[in-house]
Amino acid sequence: MVNTFSFTKPLLETPFHKRTFEACYNNDWYRWAGYKIAREYSNTELEYTSMRNTAGVLDITPMHKYDIKGNDAIKFVDKLVTRDVTQIKPNKVMYIIWCNEDGNVIDDGTVFCFDTNHLRIFCAERNLNWFSDTAIGFDVEVNDVSDSIAALAFQGPLSCKILHLLNVKNIENLKPFFFDNFDLNGSKVTISRTGFSGDLGYEIWCRPEYALNVWDSLFKFNRDYKVLAAGMNALEMVRIEAGFIQPNADFMSAEQALRPNRMRTPFELGMGWLVDLNKNYFTGKKNLIDLQNKPLNKKLVGLDIQGDKPAIGSVLYDKNKKEIGIVTAGMWSPSLKSNIAFGYVDNNHMKIGSKVFAEIYHPEELEYKKIWAECLVVKKQFFNPPRRHKVPADI
Amino acid sequence: MRIFVKKNNVEFQTNKTVEKINISNQSVNSVLLNTGEQIETSTIISNSDPKTTYLELVGASNLDTDFTRRTNNYRTRGTVAKVNIEFKHEIKIKNLDSKYLSGKFVYAPNIKYIEHAFNTNKYNKLSANPCLEFYINKNKLSANVYFIPYLRESSHDKEKILTNVNLILEKFIEENQIVSSIIETPNDIESKYNITGGHWSHGDMEIDQLLMMRPFYGSSQYSTPINGLYLCSAGTHPGGGITGINGVNAAKQLLKDKGNG
């Protein structure tokens, strides 16, 4: 008898696994924080299209979730991050980044305010060690609650409509970057109007025992609206269009980079708008004050690239063929009908409208086609439809 | 010293505790005393141990996480207890001429003995056979007892420590009737003198906490990340032992920064 190889161990299964396993026609799994997450269910383009036309469902349970409880909860987060969070109010979500003492970015995430003594941070990388050390001297307790909360991203122009059809009361009036508790088809859930797609969308958080009911509910109206389960490949496409960067893909987390010159400051990542140098002291402030007026050596910019061949991994050059940087993420954008990318450029090419060149190696039947493509430096946010911000949202 | 400073119009204030060092824009601003009094200043030299200075007086909210991490991990668990014993008779050491009594006595028979005395300390236990370092003054004896751990969750059996010490002293001291004995464990030293961990050197004197790395990276050479704040305690180079060098060096660094050095 032949033993079949089992993927069950050591990767963990999320509370949605029964459903994701059935839906994952390709059996193509991605490892995320020890969990098994579908990379592609059946067809990345279809999954991407569902997020841009109807709605896509992504299992984001492996996201790291840290509960911050105690009298100094807000003070603690304010010391941790570069933005002023002292005015945060219950039900509000803020996008945050945090740096080390040199002012290099460690990670980004969102912070949810339940009340002034209870906040929760969601992020892609493990941060318990950093948070616990930041908590020294503060009256707070930091707990990793990652495994006790199941999470789905429900992203796309019809996401609000479908939640409305599921009798999620008043969901259309939930503003971007706010959250609340709702009843979803009999399950208690927390829904935030947040997401990684740059479109109208929600993230749904619930106890693991409600997971399957929540999943099934979102597909309830599929006779009329073709909601699809979307994998990590499709998420990669929407996040590039939305201009969202990822640690250890577009920049090395300062806690993980081995080479000091690979770390990046918020200014180099184009995230200067998230840095408030007038607020109370936070980790990295001293160095960021020194750096704020110094010229940057490198900057992560958006690129609009000639032709239709994705520039993934391409080296960037100036017009004299001098190497100036590298592309960190790239794709042909079906929505924008353009060839877009994020890449690092040097100080002479940071301005919007600058021209650089990408050397693209495009594989064509066992031979590389080398393409010398002109790139225009543009804003990183390529896709930003009005419906993303509209209140009340379209139902 | 008192006369010298008085001549130079310097005032000493004693019997007051500093509660907080107030910081604005990463520079010292004032100190708050337990009396509620606030003294404005642009320069502070702290002889509190580094952990107390940074985490209690300055506060973690004014420091980078990397820095509080290093402060927190700086090893300050005391390992030495202080014992003062008063004998009924003037102390005489067996087989020793009384003219040598003014010296320092060390009881640490061999390297293995010292290692065994330290081993128990690693597991938060008392050593039944401790090492001693003591001085004698007529009928009084003052000893440092190695190694008595700093305990976080339990308390010391002080009687047992004294018994262990006396068992050793009995071997050397004639007519050893004891009138009274006082013991201060690292925990006592911490609460009595506000020294984190009750460490008599304000931190382990080990290779990673010495010289340019004392107390730790980012805080060495008497300077601190806070403008105008200096350290001069035993937690700075060259460590404990009341040599006065820490203070001199701190003053030199301060004068250098002010452009007078």
Side-chain angles (χ1 to χ4, degrees), chain A residues 79 129 133-134 281 283-284 286, chain B residues 26 60 63-66 69 225:
Chain A
K79 146 85 184 272
N129 188 292
D133 283 345
T134 303
Y281 196 75
T283 300
K286 205 172 181 180
Chain B
Q26 290 311 97
L63 300 163
D64 291 322
T65 295
D66 315 59
R69 176 187 269 177

Side-chain angles (χ1 to χ4, degrees), chain B residues 57-126:
Chain B
L57 302 179
V58 170
S61 54
N62 290 304
L63 300 163
D64 291 322
T65 295
D66 315 59
F67 192 86
T68 47
R69 176 187 269 177
R70 288 193 289 268
T71 313
N72 201 47
N73 290 337
Y74 174 61
R75 297 188 304 283
T76 58
R77 291 182 61 186
T79 54
V80 181
K82 182 88 197 164
V83 171
N84 290 325
I85 304 174
E86 195 177 329
F87 289 89
K88 195 172 179 188
H89 307 288
E90 201 157 298
I91 300 166
K92 281 181 197 146
I93 301 277
K94 290 175 189 169
N95 305 326
L96 188 76
D97 196 310
S98 58
K99 68 177 177 192
Y100 294 119
L101 283 180
S102 59
K104 175 162 99 171
F105 295 85
V106 175
Y107 180 75
N110 55 53
I111 198 82
K112 215 165 194 172
Y113 181 92
I114 302 172
E115 188 168 343
H116 281 288
F118 184 71
N119 272 348
T120 49
N121 177 73
K122 289 193 281 194
Y123 307 105
N124 290 333
K125 293 210 173 78
L126 294 175

Side-chain angles (χ1 to χ4, degrees), chain B residues 129-233:
Chain B
N129 300 298
C131 302
L132 293 181
E133 185 186 41
F134 58 91
Y135 295 92
I136 291 166
N137 185 8
K138 288 178 187 156
N139 66 333
K140 285 178 186 161
L141 181 145
S142 166
N144 293 330
V145 188
Y146 299 74
F147 296 90
I148 306 296
Y150 170 76
L151 298 178
R152 283 212 180 87
E153 275 142 20
S154 53
S155 56
H156 285 290
D157 184 348
K158 293 185 185 176
E159 287 304 317
K160 204 169 175 188
I161 300 172
L162 287 171
T163 314
N164 291 340
V165 171
N166 288 333
L167 281 173
I168 294 168
L169 293 175
E170 271 172 15
K171 296 181 194 171
F172 307 100
I173 296 174
E174 293 166 357
E175 296 180 86
N176 52 13
Q177 262 181 296
I178 294 169
V179 179
S180 68
S181 19
I182 298 167
I183 174 165
E184 282 176 358
T185 63
N187 293 67
D188 296 330
I189 295 170
E190 176 180 65
S191 50
K192 195 170 169 188
Y193 304 103
N194 276 333
I195 298 171
T196 317
H199 199 300
W200 70 327
S201 295
H202 288 193
D204 281 355
M205 300 280 285
E206 298 214 29
I207 193 74
D208 61 323
Q209 304 194 155
L210 288 180
L211 301 159
M212 300 298 268
M213 297 204 287
R214 188 162 186 84
F216 39 80
Y217 171 67
S219 172
S220 55
Q221 303 288 287
Y222 316 94
S223 308
T224 70
I226 308 293
N227 298 324
L229 177 65
Y230 295 84
L231 299 184
C232 72
S233 81

